[in-house]
Amino acid sequence: MATDQETFAEQTVLNPLTSISKKYIAVLIALLAFGAIYAEALVHQLRYGLVVTDMASWGTQAGVTWGLYIGAFEWYAGSALGSIALAGYIRFRGIDDYEMLARLGELWAVIAAICASFLIVIDLGRPERVIYVMESWPTTVQHSPLAWDVTFVTMLIVVSTTMLAMSLRRDYGWMDVELPLRARIPQKLLTVGYSPTEGPKLTSMLKYMGAGMLLLVVTAGMVPGWLFGVVGPQPGYYGKIQGVVFITGGIPAGIGALTVIAYAMRRIYDLEDALPDSMFFNLGKALGLFTFVYLIALFNQFMPMVFPMAPLGGASIADAMLYGALSTYFWTSIALLVFPMLALTWVYVYRTITPEVTVVASMIIMFGVFIKKNLAVLEPLMFPVGLPYEHGVYFPTTVEWVISLGVLFVGILAFIVLIKIIPMCSGTGVCCRSSDESIEEVEA
């Protein structure tokens, strides 16, 4: 039998699932209103084509072929990768106190990966081209970086959804509280054929799947970077370090996103016990460390283009970033990475990192990563190499901004809807019984 203290803890952690306030309704309406604007922008682009983005081919048009959509894709895909890496680490290590953070990571990984895949569809101009990409996949995957990218995003969605479904099946099986009517449908679907002895087995499966997620991050996680790294004519793309740069940028983006989400959940739903200060302290340490690693990767990517023996194209890109048209954006992105990292390091050395410090640093670093991801896409395209073309120019149009930001708001909308349908609960003693307790009750 659960004690009164355990019952209170269950009800507290289930606050996001059971309570719908007026503020929640107001936020939902605001997001739906922006969703209407977003839908109008989508219809506008589908009607008139990619001409509404002002992106063009090189030459007299002085344009670029990839822009904000691909830059945003890089950020969302990296954020999904970082989220699943953190969730996988928690599952593999069996850190019971961080089970809610793992659930948030699994959920955000699914949403962010879907957002990334949708941006690829939008950038194709005609969405029906996806059908051709899928039909020709068995042959194009041998030589097409786009096919690799589609494979990576699809795999990320599948594995993150699988981990989320497995953890939900385990927690639903252990729960001894009655859920609201809207939450019973996924509960019944995910617990078909469930038996009490299955819980410990699912915990073990999640542990090994967490190890698999970590392996996925450091192997298949490099694929979006390879998409650029194999483009030989462009020094800004071509290179062996592109995959490493993508991974090291995605991890702080994912940690930052989960930190902001966890803090919002903690403040809104009084989840101080499930999301304690110590968690944000450790997230701050991880965020500072991986931001430092990302800066090292960027340094190694950038330095070969600075030296006098660098090819002309690489030197042009370096000049633009250091002194030219892109310098403001480049140095802004570096500052948004360096200063929060130094602040987190200083606070860690001399005092405890508070949740508020970690959240502010997370938001700044996420914005810095977003700027740098977009620059990484634009830099080589603006400086053609070996072709008699002028340097390109690019300014995102209103349609591009609405669609790119709209993907984020739709992702937030999906998240706040899902927290009212599936429990953001822990696996041990917070809203569910631990595996040891489950085994004892089965034996009894």
Side-chain angles (χ1 to χ4, degrees):
M1 295 293 292
T3 65
D4 293 340
Q5 183 177 4
E6 289 173 340
T7 302
F8 176 75
E10 289 172 357
Q11 294 172 349
T12 300
V13 177
L14 289 176
N15 279 345
L17 191 65
T18 58
S19 62
I20 298 181
S21 64
K22 293 181 180 179
K23 292 182 179 179
Y24 176 85
I25 299 296
V27 172
L28 192 63
I29 292 173
L31 289 173
L32 289 172
F34 190 88
I37 301 173
Y38 174 61
E40 196 280 332
L42 284 176
V43 172
H44 183 74
Q45 177 171 316
L46 291 175
R47 181 179 180 183
Y48 295 101
L50 287 176
V51 68
V52 301
T53 67
D54 280 347
M55 287 188 288
S57 62
W58 289 327
T60 56
Q61 294 172 300
V64 299
T65 52
W66 287 340
L68 188 60
Y69 294 157
I70 300 301
F73 160 79
E74 287 279 297
W75 188 89
Y76 286 112
S79 180
L81 197 69
S83 300
I84 201 64
L86 186 57
Y89 178 79
I90 294 171
R91 297 298 187 195
F92 175 64
R93 293 293 304 275
I95 308 175
D96 295 336
D97 292 340
Y98 288 11
E99 284 276 347
M100 179 176 284
L101 184 63
R103 173 65 50 77
L104 295 174
E106 293 160 357
L107 183 58
W108 177 247
V110 174
I111 293 173
I114 293 174
C115 290
S117 62
F118 184 74
L119 283 166
I120 291 293
V121 174
I122 291 300
D123 192 68
L124 289 175
R126 292 168 51 188
E128 67 271 17
R129 290 175 177 172
V130 175
I131 299 175
Y132 172 76
V133 172
M134 301 304 294
E135 287 178 346
S136 60
W137 182 88
T139 55
T140 57
V141 73
Q142 303 175 34
H143 55 78
S144 170
L146 178 60
W148 304 347
D149 219 28
V150 170
T151 304
F152 164 74
V153 175
T154 303
M155 181 170 57
L156 188 59
I157 294 174
V158 169
V159 296
S160 56
T161 303
T162 302
M163 179 176 278
L164 176 63
M166 288 174 57
S167 64
L168 281 171
R169 180 177 176 86
R170 181 198 65 178
D171 289 349
Y172 279 138
W174 284 345
M175 292 176 71
D176 56 2
V177 294
E178 185 175 359
L179 298 177
L181 180 61
R182 62 180 176 276
R184 294 176 193 169
I185 296 177
Q187 181 185 28
K188 291 186 178 299
L189 289 175
L190 289 173
T191 54
V192 172
Y194 181 86
S195 64
T197 57
E198 191 176 337
K201 297 177 182 177
L202 285 171
T203 299
S204 178
M205 291 172 64
L206 285 170
K207 176 180 178 179
Y208 290 106
M209 192 168 185
M213 295 301 98
L214 295 175
L215 182 62
L216 173 71
V217 169
V218 298
T219 53
M222 295 187 184
V223 169
W226 295 344
L227 176 63
F228 298 102
V230 298
V231 183
Q234 293 303 319
Y237 285 161
Y238 187 73
K240 303 177 181 66
I241 199 173
Q242 298 296 345
V244 176
V245 171
F246 176 78
I247 291 177
T248 56
I251 291 178
I255 294 175
L258 285 184
T259 300
V260 174
I261 293 170
Y263 185 77
M265 296 282 290
R266 167 187 160 116
R267 290 295 301 270
I268 295 172
Y269 296 109
D270 300 322
L271 298 174
E272 286 78 6
D273 291 335
L275 301 169
D277 289 354
S278 60
M279 177 185 298
F280 290 93
F281 174 76
N282 291 324
L283 285 172
K285 291 195 298 181
L287 182 63
L289 173 63
F290 284 106
T291 301
F292 178 67
V293 174
Y294 181 45
L295 287 168
I296 293 175
L298 290 177
F299 180 81
N300 281 273
Q301 180 190 39
F302 181 71
M303 285 306 295
M305 295 188 293
V306 176
F307 288 98
M309 67 282 294
L312 179 60
S316 299
I317 295 173
D319 289 343
M321 289 192 291
L322 289 176
Y323 322 108
L326 300 176
S327 60
T328 301
Y329 304 104
F330 174 75
W331 289 115
T332 299
S333 66
I334 296 300
L336 293 176
L337 295 171
V338 170
F339 288 113
M341 179 203 68
L342 294 177
L344 288 170
T345 304
W346 186 87
V347 173
Y348 169 65
V349 172
Y350 292 100
R351 64 187 67 182
T352 301
I353 300 176
T354 63
E356 290 74 19
V357 170
T358 307
V359 169
V360 172
S362 298
M363 296 177 70
I364 296 173
I365 288 172
M366 281 194 297
F367 189 48
V369 173
F370 180 80
I371 295 175
K372 189 63 188 75
K373 291 289 187 183
N374 280 274
L375 284 178
V377 172
L378 294 175
E379 291 157 3
L381 296 177
M382 295 179 69
F383 301 94
V385 177
L387 297 173
Y389 295 158
E390 298 179 359
H391 288 182
V393 294
Y394 173 73
F395 297 98
T397 63
T398 302
V399 172
E400 286 181 90
W401 280 115
V402 171
I403 291 178
S404 299
L405 294 177
V407 171
L408 176 61
F409 283 97
V410 170
I412 295 173
L413 176 63
F415 185 87
I416 68 171
V417 169
L418 287 173
I419 65 174
K420 300 299 179 183
I421 299 175
I422 61 176
M424 301 293 108
C425 66
S426 167
T428 54
V430 179
C431 80
C432 309
R433 292 166 290 180
S434 69
S435 57
D436 293 339
E437 291 172 344
S438 179
I439 293 172
E440 290 175 358
E441 292 186 8
V442 170
E443 292 177 347

